[in-house]
Amino acid sequence: LGHLTNEPVLNPRIMYWSYCQDTGNTWEPLEQARTEFGEAQHRGSEPDIIVETDHELFWIEAKFLSGNETVPSDPRNSKKYLIGGDCWFDRVFKSPFRTIAVEKKLYELTRFWLLGTRAAYLTGKSFYLVNLVREEREKFIKEEFAAHILEQQGRKFRRASWEDIYHFVSGNGARTAAHEKLLAYMEGKSAGYDSLQQLLPGFSIHRAD
């Protein structure tokens, strides 16, 4: 994460699918944001990984075979996304909800940006929404989504790839057994079969050593 932000990341706490190990419940700032924007607690927005550090809040949405195109099940129902948090939507977006979530089909990222920036505001931290994708997929998602959001110092959207992780780890001179296990996993990871029933590689990587 420090490699992404060019800043030191201090004392990270990792929460998978919004579960806070300290409390045994949903991470409280996310639960508060869900309430403010009218989401049902048992069906609310849930990033794959939340990393809270001393000064930053990272929300990571990871994609492998699936993409970022999502739309609301009922486009007429925007819950309280437009009015929740004292009209927080207007402070973090340039475009109308329907344009981003329905016409551009970026509903999931819209929700994560809305709730994530709000949770960061509630905790007094900088916010990074990181879209983790395969290198050959979603190549222009940064430009596409950034065109509709209001970024500023301490509030950023980032695209990162699984291959970035591989090259970052493989370039680390002091590799451990855990590092080697991760590299071997990524080298052997498949992405299903092609039309000839040949296994497709999961990632675009080639181990130099």
Side-chain angles (χ1 to χ4, degrees):
L1 295 176
H3 186 66
L4 271 180
T5 63
N6 295 317
E7 297 287 344
V9 172
L10 305 175
N11 300 316
R13 292 194 308 127
I14 302 176
M15 287 158 278
Y16 299 95
W17 299 290
S18 76
Y19 177 77
C20 178
Q21 298 182 48
D22 294 339
T23 65
N25 295 301
T26 301
W27 184 58
E28 197 278 331
L30 171 58
E31 189 167 355
Q32 184 174 342
R34 284 174 174 173
T35 300
E36 285 189 307
F37 295 113
E39 289 194 344
Q41 291 302 324
H42 62 288
R43 295 184 59 190
S45 299
E46 189 173 72
D48 293 321
I49 300 174
I50 295 173
V51 181
E52 184 180 20
T53 74
D54 286 353
H55 305 293
E56 299 91 13
L57 185 61
F58 297 88
W59 281 22
I60 303 170
E61 180 57 21
K63 300 295 184 185
F64 183 57
L65 296 180
S66 62
N68 284 306
E69 283 196 1
T70 56
V71 295
S73 56
D74 181 359
R76 298 166 298 178
N77 181 15
S78 59
K79 299 183 174 62
K80 294 182 180 178
Y81 294 144
L82 304 182
I83 61 173
D86 296 324
C87 297
W88 185 255
F89 187 95
D90 294 334
R91 298 175 61 178
V92 294
F93 286 98
K94 299 177 185 177
S95 303
F97 176 84
R98 182 173 181 82
T99 298
I100 317 169
V102 181
E103 296 174 11
K104 298 299 181 180
K105 299 180 180 179
L106 296 172
Y107 179 51
E108 186 174 55
L109 290 179
T110 298
R111 289 184 286 114
F112 289 150
W113 182 255
L114 180 67
L115 274 73
T117 54
R118 185 63 178 174
Y121 172 79
L122 294 172
T123 56
K125 298 179 185 291
S126 298
F127 178 68
Y128 292 88
L129 175 58
V130 180
N131 191 202
L132 181 62
V133 297
R134 294 161 71 192
E135 182 58 44
E136 73 274 13
R137 301 285 296 274
E138 309 284 354
K139 289 188 175 182
F140 301 105
I141 191 61
K142 173 68 171 76
E143 294 79 7
E144 291 170 4
F145 190 58
H148 304 288
I149 62 177
L150 290 169
E151 294 183 282
Q152 62 183 38
Q153 185 67 30
R155 184 186 296 163
K156 300 292 184 180
F157 176 71
R158 292 281 188 266
R159 176 191 182 273
S161 74
W162 295 98
E163 287 85 347
D164 290 337
I165 297 173
Y166 177 89
H167 293 302
F168 179 78
V169 173
S170 64
N172 186 338
R175 296 208 295 257
T176 67
H179 292 144
E180 295 295 343
K181 183 179 291 186
L182 174 62
L183 296 177
Y185 170 81
M186 295 187 73
E187 289 161 7
K189 177 67 176 173
S190 67
Y193 295 87
D194 63 15
S195 59
L196 300 177
Q197 295 302 300
Q198 299 289 322
L199 273 175
L200 296 168
F203 306 109
S204 302
I205 54 178
H206 175 71
R207 189 164 188 169
D209 58 352

